Amino acid sequence: MNFPKDFIINGIHCGISKKPGKRDLALFYSKRKAKAAGVFTSNLVKAAPVLVSMNNLKKSASDIRAVLANSGCANACTGKRGLSDAIAECEMTADLLGLNPANVLVASTGVIGQYLPIEKVRKGIDDLAEKIVDDKNEPDNAIEAIMTTDTRKKASSGSFSIGSKKINVWGCVKGAGMIHPELKGLPACRRGRHATMLCFILTDADISQNLLRAALEKSVEDTFNCVSVDGDTSTNDSVFVLANASAENQAITKKDKYYLKFEKALGSVCLGLAKQIARDGEGATHLVEIEVRNAKDKVSAKKIASTVATSPLVKTAIFGADANWGRILGACGRAGVAVDPRKIDVYFNNLKVCKNSEKTNYSEKLAKKILNREEIKIILDLKQGNKSARYFTCDLSLDYVKINADYRS
Amino acid sequence: MNFPKDFIINGIHCGISKKPGKRDLALFYSKRKAKAAGVFTSNLVKAAPVLVSMNNLKKSASDIRAVLANSGCANACTGKRGLSDAIAECEMTADLLGLNPANVLVASTGVIGQYLPIEKVRKGIDDLAEKIVDDKNEPDNAIEAIMTTDTRKKASSGSFSIGSKKINVWGCVKGAGMIHPELKGLPACRRGRHATMLCFILTDADISQNLLRAALEKSVEDTFNCVSVDGDTSTNDSVFVLANASAENQAITKKDKYYLKFEKALGSVCLGLAKQIARDGEGATHLVEIEVRNAKDKVSAKKIASTVATSPLVKTAIFGADANWGRILGACGRAGVAVDPRKIDVYFNNLKVCKNSEKTNYSEKLAKKILNREEIKIILDLKQGNKSARYFTCDLSLDYVKINADYRS
């Protein structure tokens, strides 16, 4: 992992989560002023921390120093009390670290409709601030602290050079259910999608705030906004990127080749994290990539990919390793895109199971073998144009239902 | 049950279905010329029988005599061969009963992408024709013959009078999975939704074809087009109504009070059937009615109701009898409708669990009790206007996944 300079991150248990001893509060801290950008859920029902972070970014996007994140409670649908709790989190963090509350961002994930146990949080922030002061950088602890139903720690990193300077990009993410992000930038500029996914990306690049934001918004479009576990867009989705300039590179201030290098590195980290989310989807036994090829335009391709990726019938068939391509075609036909229903080809990996919307002479045995693999690719060829899109999802298993039938208890 | 005059319906086993001895071919026959109307799936991938029935209705909507329906094979994604098989079904039926092929409609449900075993169907039509000639009206057999994963026979009926004449309306339906009908009339005039549901409604009313069609299109909008089991709109959804005038009422030829009586009776039969579909959804343990109140307009209300009704997180919570109203609010916020996210109330039956988007002081014990009932009502009050809509769905259970993970085997 390439970890950027001058960031300290850690996580502790303070008792928000009901799981005994599980870390539930994380702090991402930059020793230096960092430029920051964020994209947030487009769900109209936005959690208090989302509203507070959006506001702080509006005020202070060129001077963010810390992001506080908790699991165990979403602080969503909590009204005025929820808002004042989220603001209090910023104040408490700022107080201890000698910052302005607007330098602090917040994020929460967990049960909706419950209030934060703010005294436990206060104690937790105390503990975290101590670790920061002691220079204790423990990424694994921070990652654990944001996990809910996640079964794996999810991180990804990359690096590139500008002249003699090496620039690191590192990110971690949580998210397993309520995953269908429709993230949009600030101010509301795009339609987004769904999940609780929280993502924290840190880089030591020196880059202008505008370009940092542009790179983030571009990166999420083909990564987090193309992941679905269950089609349910969360009230809490947030992706943050902090850039603290500690790499001391020549500052990236225009869309030149260095900007493109940065964008590529950031996109690659986001893609790595997005795929890890789908693979670790609640109850998932497969990572499924849906590719729609030769569509008239990219929006249509994405719409079909998204519809196939969220079809319960497609997802249960994959759980059963059943090559039921008819359900894939059925989902494609209801996506609201004008396709020629007589011309679609469907592949599992490279096995063509359907040609011109009719069965090929494929081997069911081979199809089953492919569908029993951990990673599966489904390709739909529309033969209408030359645009494509892909989407990442997982199967719908018995465990998904078990996990979600009694999530609160 | 009020069964209309001069219809004979029956069902037999001919071997299309893999289940030994299960009836799989049904015939709905009118002794007299019947006016007919149909609404069909809006999925662009339409099964061959849908295309053939749409075509026959265009040619001969005032003279339909028979509808042949099978389970066990959807005859969808079957290309030219599928189309000629569906046409052959009309011809074989017409031959035996002395009709023109355009007097016959067809419908299929079952696995997508497989060809009809047409010789078995031929033999089956022979057997059915014999029963028709012998005047053997056995509705239960017809209903069984259209069932796939259905666990209950679903029928509904009603009657009303015009002067001294009693008019009967009777209908049966199949449908448990791939249920989210988006039905539209002929020619394509509305956006529809998803399922394989097949519905056959018979009436002895004397009514003009135009009004029969108008009444059907109105009736499905608040009934079948407001049912979802899994959000997957089928390639095969079809609803037929046949009116053979055997009640000898004064013909209904304009939108007068008699038309309204007819429309009401038809709507009531459709509603009864729609609710039975949701109750018998694959793996369902609850019938769930979602009511959205005080929306700005009906389209918005329906959009929110539909989003809540198809949310996997809401549906798994109901399976677990977990009063997780936060998920309901989350689904509402992602429905694509401009709601005020701070003003929403949520009820389970009459228990207000959320007021102005925040938790009330409700009893979890009582909420659990309500959610353990077979029928549950979820109400969202948006406080924006005075329009409302309701949607019928079921929970998402372990059995749903089991049923659909190996549907083809």
Side-chain angles (χ1 to χ4, degrees):
Chain A
M1 286 280 170
N2 300 283
F3 198 83
K5 288 182 198 148
D6 293 335
F7 283 100
I8 310 176
I9 73 177
N10 219 316
I12 51 105
H13 168 78
C14 74
I16 310 169
S17 166
K18 286 180 188 163
K19 295 171 198 160
K22 184 200 161 287
R23 290 185 169 81
D24 51 17
L25 192 68
L27 191 63
F28 299 83
Y29 175 77
S30 173
K31 296 185 183 178
R32 305 171 51 170
K33 230 187 222 197
K35 308 278 194 332
V39 287
F40 302 94
T41 182
S42 59
N43 196 314
L44 291 181
V45 178
K46 286 180 174 58
V50 170
L51 297 171
V52 169
S53 291
M54 288 171 86
N55 196 41
N56 285 358
L57 273 177
K58 269 181 210 155
K59 286 194 282 191
S60 187
S62 290
D63 185 10
I64 294 296
R65 293 289 299 281
V67 190
L68 183 78
N70 75 277
S71 56
C73 171
N75 193 10
C77 302
T78 46
K80 286 178 187 166
R81 176 167 159 194
L83 271 177
S84 69
D85 285 346
I87 291 167
E89 287 185 289
C90 296
E91 289 168 348
M92 293 187 251
T93 308
D95 271 358
L96 283 172
L97 298 170
L99 308 172
N100 185 305
N103 305 138
V104 182
L105 304 175
V106 279
S108 296
T109 179
V111 178
I112 299 176
Q114 296 183 355
Y115 302 111
L116 270 179
I118 198 71
E119 284 312 313
K120 288 181 183 173
V121 172
R122 181 188 302 278
K123 172 75 177 52
I125 295 173
D126 283 351
D127 293 348
L128 279 168
E130 197 178 334
K131 289 187 187 287
I132 299 299
V133 173
D134 288 348
D135 234 351
K136 283 194 182 152
N137 182 49
E138 294 172 303
D140 267 5
N141 292 352
I143 298 173
E144 182 191 319
I146 56 172
M147 289 165 70
T148 52
T149 52
D150 307 66
T151 65
R152 304 168 185 210
K153 290 182 177 153
K154 296 183 265 290
S156 180
S157 73
S159 68
F160 66 100
S161 297
I162 296 182
S164 63
K165 308 295 185 183
K166 185 186 172 203
I167 292 165
N168 300 294
V169 182
W170 179 93
C172 68
V173 74
K174 71 77 49 179
M178 211 180 231
I179 293 289
H180 192 114
E182 292 258 10
L183 300 158
K184 62 183 183 185
L186 262 179
C189 55
R190 298 219 189 83
R191 295 202 56 240
R193 224 145 297 127
H194 1 220
T196 291
M197 53 156 290
L198 301 181
C199 176
F200 307 90
I201 303 170
L202 311 174
T203 175
D204 43 24
D206 188 349
I207 181 169
S208 75
Q209 199 276 332
N210 276 347
L211 291 180
L212 182 66
R213 175 177 139 175
L216 178 66
E217 290 182 4
K218 180 162 195 320
S219 292
V220 298
E221 214 41 61
D222 290 330
T223 58
F224 297 123
N225 280 355
C226 288
V227 171
S228 184
V229 169
D230 46 23
D232 264 313
T233 305
S234 166
T235 49
N236 288 57
D237 293 336
S238 306
V239 178
F240 299 105
V241 57
L242 271 62
N244 70 3
S246 287
E248 299 184 334
N249 58 289
Q250 189 191 315
I252 302 171
T253 55
K254 54 181 189 290
K255 289 202 172 175
D256 55 13
K257 65 177 177 178
Y258 299 120
Y259 169 78
L260 292 177
K261 275 187 172 189
F262 177 76
E263 191 186 274
K264 192 177 164 193
L266 182 64
S268 165
V269 165
C270 290
L271 182 64
L273 296 173
K275 289 172 81 165
Q276 289 177 59
I277 290 175
R279 180 61 193 87
D280 194 29
E282 286 173 344
T285 66
H286 300 280
L287 166 64
V288 185
E289 180 179 339
I290 318 277
E291 183 183 329
V292 174
R293 280 184 193 164
N294 298 319
K296 267 184 294 193
D297 52 71
K298 191 162 176 180
V299 171
S300 301
K302 199 166 168 179
K303 211 165 167 186
I304 291 171
S306 164
T307 306
V308 173
T310 52
S311 158
L313 290 173
V314 171
K315 290 158 77 89
T316 47
I318 294 167
F319 174 58
D322 178 7
N324 199 330
W325 56 268
R327 292 180 178 176
I328 296 170
L329 231 58
C332 175
R334 71 169 169 91
V337 172
V339 295
D340 183 338
R342 295 160 306 180
K343 276 204 177 166
I344 303 160
D345 295 353
V346 179
Y347 300 77
F348 293 122
N349 292 3
N350 285 321
L351 182 70
K352 190 187 277 198
V353 292
C354 165
K355 185 181 171 178
N356 290 328
S357 306
E358 216 173 331
K359 191 176 177 307
T360 65
N361 209 13
Y362 70 93
S363 147
E364 286 280 355
K365 197 176 152 191
L366 184 54
K368 190 121 201 147
K369 213 167 162 184
I370 291 170
L371 291 176
N372 272 316
R373 291 191 192 148
E374 192 179 314
E375 300 197 7
I376 297 162
K377 187 164 180 172
I378 296 174
I379 301 166
L380 288 94
D381 187 343
L382 306 183
K383 303 175 197 162
Q384 286 190 306
N386 58 11
K387 297 297 174 190
S388 65
R390 61 182 173 173
Y391 225 89
F392 301 97
T393 188
C394 57
D395 51 333
L396 171 53
S397 71
L398 293 170
D399 280 345
Y400 176 85
V401 177
K402 284 181 198 161
I403 290 165
N404 283 298
D406 58 354
Y407 179 66
R408 294 194 314 161
S409 52
Chain B
M1 288 280 169
N2 300 282
F3 199 84
K5 288 183 199 146
D6 293 335
F7 283 100
I8 310 176
I9 74 178
N10 219 317
I12 51 105
H13 167 76
C14 75
I16 310 170
S17 165
K18 285 179 187 163
K19 295 172 197 159
K22 183 198 162 290
R23 290 185 170 80
D24 51 18
L25 193 69
L27 191 63
F28 299 82
Y29 176 78
S30 172
K31 294 186 183 178
R32 305 171 50 172
K33 234 186 220 199
K35 306 277 193 333
V39 286
F40 302 94
T41 182
S42 60
N43 196 314
L44 291 182
V45 178
K46 287 180 173 60
V50 170
L51 296 171
V52 168
S53 290
M54 288 171 86
N55 195 42
N56 285 357
L57 273 176
K58 268 180 212 155
K59 287 194 284 191
S60 186
S62 290
D63 184 10
I64 294 296
R65 294 288 301 279
V67 190
L68 183 77
N70 74 278
S71 56
C73 171
N75 193 10
C77 302
T78 45
K80 285 178 187 166
R81 178 168 157 192
L83 271 178
S84 68
D85 285 347
I87 291 167
E89 287 185 289
C90 296
E91 288 169 349
M92 292 186 254
T93 308
D95 272 359
L96 283 171
L97 298 170
L99 309 173
N100 185 304
N103 305 140
V104 182
L105 304 175
V106 280
S108 297
T109 179
V111 178
I112 300 175
Q114 297 182 354
Y115 302 111
L116 271 179
I118 198 72
E119 284 313 311
K120 289 180 181 171
V121 173
R122 181 188 303 278
K123 171 76 176 51
I125 296 173
D126 283 353
D127 292 349
L128 279 167
E130 196 178 335
K131 289 186 187 289
I132 300 300
V133 174
D134 288 349
D135 235 349
K136 284 194 182 149
N137 183 48
E138 293 172 305
D140 267 4
N141 292 353
I143 298 172
E144 182 191 320
I146 57 173
M147 289 164 71
T148 53
T149 51
D150 307 66
T151 65
R152 304 170 186 209
K153 289 182 178 154
K154 295 183 265 290
S156 180
S157 72
S159 68
F160 65 100
S161 295
I162 296 182
S164 62
K165 308 295 184 181
K166 183 184 172 207
I167 291 165
N168 300 294
V169 182
W170 179 93
C172 67
V173 73
K174 70 80 48 179
M178 211 180 230
I179 293 288
H180 193 114
E182 291 259 11
L183 300 158
K184 62 183 186 186
L186 260 179
C189 55
R190 296 220 191 81
R191 294 202 58 238
R193 225 148 293 127
H194 2 222
T196 291
M197 54 153 292
L198 300 182
C199 177
F200 307 89
I201 304 169
L202 311 174
T203 176
D204 44 23
D206 188 349
I207 182 168
S208 75
Q209 199 275 331
N210 277 346
L211 291 180
L212 182 66
R213 176 177 136 174
L216 178 66
E217 291 182 4
K218 180 160 195 319
S219 292
V220 299
E221 213 43 60
D222 291 330
T223 58
F224 297 123
N225 280 354
C226 288
V227 172
S228 184
V229 169
D230 47 22
D232 264 314
T233 306
S234 167
T235 49
N236 288 57
D237 293 336
S238 306
V239 177
F240 299 105
V241 57
L242 271 61
N244 71 3
S246 288
E248 298 181 334
N249 57 288
Q250 187 190 317
I252 302 170
T253 55
K254 54 181 189 290
K255 290 202 172 176
D256 56 12
K257 65 176 178 179
Y258 298 121
Y259 169 78
L260 292 176
K261 276 188 172 189
F262 177 76
E263 191 185 272
K264 192 177 165 193
L266 182 64
S268 165
V269 166
C270 290
L271 181 64
L273 295 174
K275 289 173 81 164
Q276 289 178 58
I277 289 176
R279 180 62 193 89
D280 194 29
E282 287 172 345
T285 67
H286 300 279
L287 166 63
V288 185
E289 180 178 338
I290 319 277
E291 183 183 328
V292 175
R293 278 183 194 164
N294 299 320
K296 268 183 296 194
D297 53 71
K298 192 164 177 181
V299 172
S300 301
K302 198 165 169 179
K303 212 164 165 186
I304 291 171
S306 162
T307 305
V308 173
T310 52
S311 158
L313 289 173
V314 171
K315 290 157 77 89
T316 47
I318 294 167
F319 174 58
D322 178 8
N324 199 330
W325 56 269
R327 292 180 177 176
I328 296 170
L329 231 56
C332 175
R334 70 170 170 90
V337 171
V339 296
D340 183 339
R342 295 160 305 179
K343 278 203 176 164
I344 303 159
D345 295 353
V346 180
Y347 300 77
F348 293 122
N349 291 3
N350 285 323
L351 182 69
K352 191 188 276 200
V353 293
C354 165
K355 184 182 173 180
N356 290 329
S357 307
E358 217 173 331
K359 192 177 177 306
T360 66
N361 210 12
Y362 71 91
S363 146
E364 285 280 354
K365 197 176 152 191
L366 185 54
K368 189 123 203 143
K369 213 167 162 184
I370 290 170
L371 291 175
N372 272 317
R373 291 191 193 147
E374 192 178 316
E375 299 197 6
I376 296 162
K377 187 162 181 174
I378 296 174
I379 301 167
L380 288 94
D381 187 342
L382 306 183
K383 303 174 196 163
Q384 287 190 305
N386 59 8
K387 298 297 175 188
S388 65
R390 61 182 173 171
Y391 225 89
F392 301 98
T393 187
C394 56
D395 51 333
L396 171 53
S397 71
L398 293 171
D399 280 346
Y400 177 84
V401 177
K402 283 180 198 159
I403 291 165
N404 284 298
D406 57 355
Y407 180 64
R408 294 195 313 161
S409 52

